Amino acid sequence: MKTLRNLFSLLIIFTLANTVLFAQSTQATIDQALGQSFQSQENKVEAIINDQPSLYWKAYASFMSSIFEIGMGNKTASQKYVDQAVELLNQDENRDAESYALEGSILGFSISLDPSQTRTLASKSTARYKKSIKLDKNNLRANLGLGENDFHTPVKYGGGKVAEKYLLKALSCENNPNNDPLKPTWGKERVYNLLVQYYKREGRMEQAKKYCKEGIEAFPHDHELQQLSETVL
């Protein structure tokens, strides 16, 4: 399986502007700190990790710290925050679908830190997504993760068979149906991005154009979708 080439870090960096900013949302606070970190080139997320209201958000903040550190070229520090994020999630005795989906994303991202462990980490990542789906078949982030993992798996290793199925399912799922400021909202812009890439790769340009237009309409400031539009629209 290939490394998740788009580096989940770049996804977050480029899509910060698209975060659904519910009033005082926990995710918005952390994402803004990540944006400020890249602007100042100093980790602003680290200081707010312990201030978060749950293990999920402490883990998410640790994950964002990891993304900042790899963006700055500090692989050792990035791995430290990955390990911390996974440990925090596993401290929760009542894990839910979002917890497993986040762990799947973190494990997938960590492939970029140690490509020699690609198969092991990808397998673990997929297993976490499947646990999430078992708890909630309509979890956007778990369906996205399964679709993305399959998208990046070479055909010779069985990849490319279910990416479309899971990505379309993710697209149909609600980000945060109750507008709960303590629930995550990330992921849907990534679904559009991957669908466009998938259909472009498969030579299905009408579908690529359709989802590129829809994605830009929903997330007009998304950097990756704007880049894709130059080759699709």
Side-chain angles (χ1 to χ4, degrees):
M1 179 181 285
K2 294 180 182 179
T3 300
L4 300 183
R5 293 172 297 179
N6 288 326
L7 282 181
F8 201 84
S9 56
L10 294 179
L11 157 67
I12 298 293
I13 295 166
F14 290 144
T15 59
L16 281 175
N18 299 318
T19 301
V20 180
L21 299 179
F22 297 114
Q24 307 283 315
S25 82
T26 304
Q27 182 183 322
T29 299
I30 298 169
D31 288 351
Q32 287 165 4
L34 177 60
Q36 291 165 3
S37 298
F38 280 108
Q39 289 175 354
S40 66
Q41 297 192 9
E42 179 182 349
N43 192 337
K44 303 289 187 181
V45 185
E46 181 181 28
I48 65 172
I49 292 173
N50 290 330
D51 297 335
Q52 300 313 308
S54 68
L55 288 168
Y56 176 93
W57 288 114
K58 286 181 173 68
Y60 181 86
S62 297
F63 184 21
M64 295 304 104
S65 280
S66 178
I67 285 170
F68 169 75
E69 294 296 347
I70 195 62
M72 293 295 102
N74 193 338
K75 188 177 290 189
T76 300
S78 184
Q79 184 65 58
K80 180 188 80 171
Y81 285 116
V82 160
D83 294 341
Q84 178 174 297
V86 171
E87 181 180 354
L88 284 163
L89 289 171
N90 281 281
Q91 288 176 16
D92 192 344
E93 295 180 357
N94 298 295
R95 298 188 67 180
D96 61 8
E98 292 293 359
S99 175
Y100 286 115
L102 178 59
E103 186 178 4
S105 296
I106 294 167
L107 291 169
F109 164 79
S110 69
I111 293 172
S112 64
L113 303 177
D114 188 2
S116 70
Q117 295 298 311
T118 293
R119 289 194 181 185
T120 298
L121 290 169
S123 178
K124 288 182 177 180
S125 172
T126 295
R128 300 307 185 275
Y129 289 133
K130 287 183 176 180
K131 279 191 174 183
S132 177
I133 293 288
K134 188 173 182 179
L135 291 170
D136 178 9
K137 66 180 180 181
N138 293 315
N139 186 276
L140 184 155
R141 285 154 282 277
N143 281 286
L144 163 61
L146 287 173
E148 179 156 23
N149 280 5
D150 184 70
F151 176 84
H152 288 298
T153 302
V155 173
K156 65 180 180 179
Y157 295 126
K161 295 179 180 178
V162 296
E164 181 181 21
K165 167 190 166 183
Y166 282 115
L167 292 172
L168 290 175
K169 174 64 176 177
L171 193 63
S172 73
C173 297
E174 293 288 341
N175 245 339
N176 185 341
N178 297 316
N179 288 359
D180 185 342
L182 292 178
K183 296 294 185 182
T185 62
W186 57 272
K188 186 152 283 191
E189 63 273 32
R190 183 62 174 165
V191 177
Y192 280 113
N193 183 292
L194 287 168
L195 278 171
V196 175
Q197 290 188 61
Y198 173 79
Y199 287 126
K200 181 182 176 184
R201 187 173 73 183
E202 297 296 308
R204 297 162 64 180
M205 295 307 295
E206 287 305 311
Q207 288 97 327
K209 290 177 183 179
K210 167 182 165 63
Y211 290 108
C212 191
K213 288 178 181 178
E214 288 185 11
I216 289 175
E217 183 177 350
F219 302 98
H221 303 295
D222 188 271
H223 180 83
E224 289 187 339
L225 283 170
Q226 291 290 347
Q227 282 193 322
L228 282 171
S229 72
E230 295 176 4
T231 61
V232 171
L233 300 181

